[in-house]
Amino acid sequence: MPWDLIPLNSGYSIPGLAYGTGTLGSGQWPIDQLTQAFDTGFYHIDTAQLYRNEAEVGITIGQLGLERSDVFITTKFSGFNGLDIPTSIRNSLEYLNTSYVDLYLIHNPDIAVPDIPTVWAQMEKVQEEGLARSIGVSNFNEKQLEILLSSAKIKPAANQIYLQPYNYHQQSPTLEFAAKYDIVIEAYSALTPITGEPGGPVDAPLNAIAARLGATTDQVLLAWVKAKGAVVVTTSSKKARLLSYLSAGDLELSAEDIKAIDTAGAIGEKRIMVRRGLRKLGLGVLFGIVILVACSYFKGSNKRRNVAEVLEIND
């Protein structure tokens, strides 16, 4: 298998490539897409309470007659409809038509109410009751992980974060913290340099490496994530693209390849930050102009009103 199993600190292992359902919605479409993903060779499915397609995952697994042990299921507590963790995990298991999930994540630190330690204690109970084999978090930074670990009995097995070359430097503290405490990183939106920021500095090394290896640029990006030791969470509606993602597990990037992508990513990250800063500055200036115009207008209106009142008195 080109994508290796990665050991988790819980004693279980996680497949290095996952099919994400975050953009699929609900209904027949996700069932069709999940069927295609399974037929193609994906067997790690990443869903969430928020995605509203846990039931479709369960239906697809049932329709295909897959053994539970043949599928790795990740889902997330998203704080949906204000439901608590004990209620949410049992609802998720009912939708998924299973007695346990392989990995259960807190979708975002903002939903850790009243605080991270309290919510993590509830997650620990989920694992202790056998409802999830492993538990973890998503979108946590190193400071939030530190707060979690300060009172944890069970360490998070994984932290799923936004990771791609243009935010690698920004995410480095989180990656280093995770490595120190044996927390596996899962990366979503790794293809952003191609899908969201085309024409940036990373294009040059991606094209050169792809040409040398006889691969596509998206395959090179996924291989870069793998080289960082992270699990890839991705998706596509095209079977050919899914097959290419599976084949990306066979790519071996050299240290020079990885460094070239890292360096270009750091340059692009600075440019993106400057662009965003200028955009915010522009919005601020525009807002200031609007305020000045409004003040001038109302000031002029007051003057005109005062003149009119004087004329009326004189009449």
Side-chain angles (χ1 to χ4, degrees), residues 263-278:
T263 301
I267 294 171
E269 185 172 356
K270 290 179 181 178
R271 291 181 183 177
I272 291 169
M273 290 177 67
V274 169
R275 188 172 70 233
R276 289 175 179 170
L278 290 174

Side-chain angles (χ1 to χ4, degrees), residues 247-266:
S247 298
D250 293 322
L251 292 182
E252 292 290 339
L253 302 186
S254 67
E256 291 75 17
D257 293 335
I258 297 167
K259 183 178 180 180
I261 295 172
D262 290 351
T263 301

